[in-house]
Amino acid sequence: MKISIAELYQKYERKEELEGLEVTIEGYIKNSRFLGQVGFLSVNDGSSFLNLQAVFDVSKFSLENAKLGASIYLEGKIHITEQAKQPFELNVTAAKVIGPVSDSYPLQKKRTTFEYLRTIPQWRMKTNTFNAVFRVRSTLAYYIHQYFHENGFYWIHTPILTANDCEGEGQTFNVYADLKKPTEFFNKDNVHLTVSGQLHVEPFALTYGKVYTFGPTFRAEKSNTTRHAAEFWMVEPEIAWAHLNDNMDLMEDFLKYVVKHTMEDCKADIEFFNERVDNHLIERLNNFLSNAFIRLPYTEALKKLKEANDNGHHFEVEDFNFGLDFGSEHEKYLTEVIYKGPVFLTDYPKDIKAFYMKQNDDNKTVGAVDLLVPFIGELCGGSERECDYDKLLKRMEELHMNIEAYQWYLDLRKNGSIPHSGFGLGFERLVMLVTGMSNIRDTLPYPRCYKDMLF
Ligand code: 4AD
Ligand code: MG
């Protein structure tokens, strides 16, 4: 019977069914070694982080070309060994190398740097680290959909091509069918790749109650950091009849669910990351799951930072006046030094946030929330939305926005307007959080970053 290595490990939970089982395995060689007349192949078929050890009689099989990276077909019988590292093995009865490897195979047994592996994205998923990264990435995506499905959300497919700039930052990639006639195709001045599905998803929230988007987004930010990509995936839930606290409750419940289930499903992968990439990973993830996230208004955070500064902590930017847009040094200090865990920062100055956010009564702040986490910084950004037509219009005028282009959005506040809220999760930053990988380029199958795109 043809079976995957993952299925064999599942069957190991009912060992009696496994002993003596005759199976066919198709995989790739991770390692080969010989002890006298006995050969040992470590085989991985991609279904699990874990390998299968195949044992064979060297005099019966000529497997000289069974080298690291070669593909192999195996038949044999499973034997339970009860050894911790390899609780069962395959006693080979038939074997054939299907695709041997050439001398130029770029992955050798010695450890290679992540920088080097970034130059060969078509191969790096075969290394232990990246094999685990993309498995975790897929599992996280699965549980994101599962969480929303279980909680009555509808998945809305918002467009990638758009004429709006949701965040109003102007950091968009423009789209033309013909450079010489840029407006011809859509008969629009300004068509670009979406920076966020929020504006398009809001009308759906105002009908279905609970909705989300999950898809690629694009930002032409010229920032060459370890946390910014030009093409990344975003998850954007939007909920009706909901204020800022409801938004934070959702964010916390959602993230804890997704992280918890992924840790369970990808146990071997996460243990590997903890051992080889970041020794504090599991401890940090357990803290993430077991403690309530801190909720802190911006003005309080400002006070805490000023206090730290007065007590001698040096920051690059030390102007702690209302209006400061926190840099990563400030975010790090809050999450890593003061609170040692995730922090919801709320009620930011309106001038450093997007036009659509709910205006607070103080006329200075808006109902914004950023979720900051240790070592990553901003994981999610969201807000309650301004649902009063006049207030929203006034703010858009202050910002000299093209009202006509956004009239469709404004009109949502004219007919059956209700309080509603939502947020955006940077999916790659979640992958970083769960794997301990410290560069966003190492969470994307084919990273597209500033001055950085291979093929
Ligand atoms: O904070 P942002 O800009 O919020 C929005 O776009 C809202 N419209 C979301 C909403 O309320 N529906 O982006 C949301 C998240 C950030 O917190 C960050 O995690 C991620 O998206 N993000 C990026 N991730 C990777 N590379 C980039 N260049 C990113 N820019 C934002
Ligand atoms: Mg943000």
Side-chain angles (χ1 to χ4, degrees):
M1 128 169 111
K2 189 165 149 177
I3 197 165
S4 72
I5 294 174
E7 286 168 317
L8 286 178
Y9 276 93
Q10 278 157 20
K11 277 192 184 290
Y12 180 67
E13 283 157 22
R14 283 166 289 120
K15 285 176 215 172
E16 55 299 341
E17 289 176 28
L18 200 56
E19 175 67 37
L21 194 69
E22 290 186 21
V23 297
T24 298
I25 297 285
E26 293 162 324
Y28 304 91
I29 293 165
K30 296 284 287 187
N31 192 22
S32 56
R33 62 195 171 87
F34 298 89
L35 266 180
Q37 282 305 298
V38 191
F40 299 90
L41 297 177
S42 191
V43 176
N44 189 283
D45 67 357
S47 63
S48 163
F49 182 78
L50 302 168
N51 301 324
L52 174 68
Q53 173 157 281
V55 186
F56 64 98
D57 182 339
V58 175
S59 63
K60 286 194 190 145
F61 303 97
S62 54
L63 293 175
E64 307 78 53
N65 53 359
K67 292 187 186 146
L68 172 73
S71 50
I72 191 161
Y73 172 92
L74 294 164
E75 288 175 13
K77 269 190 187 166
I78 297 293
H79 171 58
I80 307 275
T81 62
E82 298 291 10
Q83 283 162 20
K85 278 219 152 164
Q86 186 64 67
F88 53 87
E89 60 191 18
L90 181 75
N91 287 327
V92 174
T93 53
K96 187 168 192 286
V97 169
I98 304 296
V101 275
S102 64
D103 291 341
S104 64
Y105 185 58
L107 302 175
Q108 296 308 331
K109 224 181 284 164
K110 61 180 182 345
R111 279 176 88 167
T112 28
T113 63
F114 293 159
E115 285 79 6
Y116 169 66
L117 292 171
R118 264 172 233 149
T119 67
I120 46 168
Q122 74 277 37
W123 293 112
R124 67 176 176 168
M125 67 294 256
K126 288 181 183 285
T127 64
N128 284 337
T129 304
F130 288 93
N131 198 268
V133 165
F134 297 119
R135 187 175 298 102
V136 168
R137 185 179 166 109
S138 169
T139 307
L140 284 168
Y142 171 80
Y143 281 113
I144 285 170
H145 286 302
Q146 176 151 307
Y147 176 86
F148 288 130
H149 183 71
E150 282 179 359
N151 288 281
F153 283 71
Y154 293 99
W155 182 18
I156 307 299
H157 305 107
T158 48
I160 286 175
L161 297 176
T162 176
N164 296 138
D165 176 3
C166 172
E167 294 306 293
E169 304 268 343
Q171 295 169 319
T172 55
F173 289 102
N174 297 317
V175 176
Y176 322 103
D178 178 349
L179 238 184
K180 292 196 196 97
K181 291 182 270 176
T183 60
E184 192 247 340
F185 193 95
F186 290 111
N187 202 17
K188 277 253 170 297
D189 290 341
N190 231 332
V191 177
H192 37 251
L193 301 179
T194 189
V195 298
S196 156
Q198 180 198 324
L199 302 190
H200 290 111
V201 92
E202 278 188 47
F204 286 84
L206 300 180
T207 305
Y208 294 98
K210 295 195 265 186
V211 295
Y212 70 107
T213 72
F214 186 5
T217 44
F218 306 86
R219 295 199 184 179
E221 281 167 284
K222 292 185 179 168
S223 37
N224 194 353
T225 78
T226 54
R227 297 177 302 139
H228 289 87
E231 176 176 336
F232 61 98
W233 281 54
M234 213 197 306
V235 182
E236 296 184 90
E238 191 73 29
I239 45 176
W241 308 102
H243 300 286
L244 201 61
N245 272 323
D246 305 308
N247 206 14
M248 288 187 272
D249 291 344
L250 170 64
M251 221 184 287
E252 184 164 349
D253 190 53
F254 158 71
L255 286 170
K256 285 181 172 173
Y257 174 97
V258 168
V259 170
K260 176 171 176 283
H261 284 279
T262 302
M263 284 179 77
E264 285 163 7
D265 273 23
C266 297
K267 194 163 176 284
D269 306 83
I270 307 263
E271 279 169 2
F272 170 83
F273 289 124
N274 196 66
E275 202 183 302
R276 302 288 277 274
V277 174
D278 176 351
N279 295 143
H280 297 288
L281 177 67
I282 292 181
E283 181 192 333
R284 208 161 57 238
L285 290 174
N286 284 335
N287 275 339
F288 185 91
L289 294 181
S290 49
N291 299 315
F293 299 175
I294 302 291
R295 298 184 181 197
L296 186 73
Y298 168 91
T299 46
E300 292 299 314
L302 205 57
K303 272 189 215 152
K304 294 271 179 201
L305 292 170
K306 185 164 185 323
E307 234 169 69
N309 188 53
D310 292 344
N311 291 335
H313 183 83
H314 170 71
F315 294 97
E316 294 295 318
V317 176
E318 302 203 309
D319 169 15
F320 293 100
N321 286 313
F322 181 83
L324 169 74
D325 200 357
F326 294 154
S328 85
E329 54 169 346
H330 306 114
E331 297 178 350
K332 272 181 162 301
Y333 196 82
L334 288 168
T335 57
E336 291 167 28
V337 181
I338 303 185
Y339 295 104
K340 299 188 172 55
V343 178
F344 283 121
L345 266 192
T346 65
D347 304 291
Y348 283 74
K350 67 176 181 196
D351 290 329
I352 57 171
K353 288 291 177 189
F355 75 95
Y356 51 72
M357 296 190 180
K358 167 102 182 146
Q359 296 160 33
N360 289 336
D361 292 340
D362 61 12
N363 266 329
K364 283 164 54 187
T365 60
V366 284
V369 55
D370 278 3
L371 177 63
L372 309 178
V373 299
F375 302 102
I376 308 278
E378 182 187 331
L379 180 64
C380 302
S383 70
E384 181 168 345
R385 318 308 187 188
E386 182 52 70
C387 60
D388 180 284
Y389 186 91
D390 296 327
K391 284 188 181 169
L392 183 58
L393 177 63
K394 187 162 164 277
R395 183 66 187 142
M396 291 169 77
E397 284 170 349
E398 277 168 15
L399 294 168
H400 308 291
M401 288 174 65
N402 176 355
I403 304 296
E404 203 188 324
Y406 292 87
Q407 193 62 50
W408 68 273
Y409 178 76
L410 259 168
D411 285 349
L412 301 173
R413 279 69 181 160
K414 250 189 194 162
N415 308 296
S417 186
I418 50 164
H420 62 289
S421 301
F423 66 89
L425 159 72
F427 182 55
E428 285 71 22
R429 295 188 185 176
L430 178 65
V431 180
M432 290 169 77
L433 177 94
V434 174
T435 58
M437 298 299 282
S438 56
N439 193 318
I440 197 164
R441 289 163 184 76
D442 298 332
T443 65
L444 283 151
Y446 296 92
R448 274 87 179 89
C449 297
Y450 183 52
K451 294 199 186 295
D452 190 1
M453 160 143 114
L454 278 179
F455 47 78

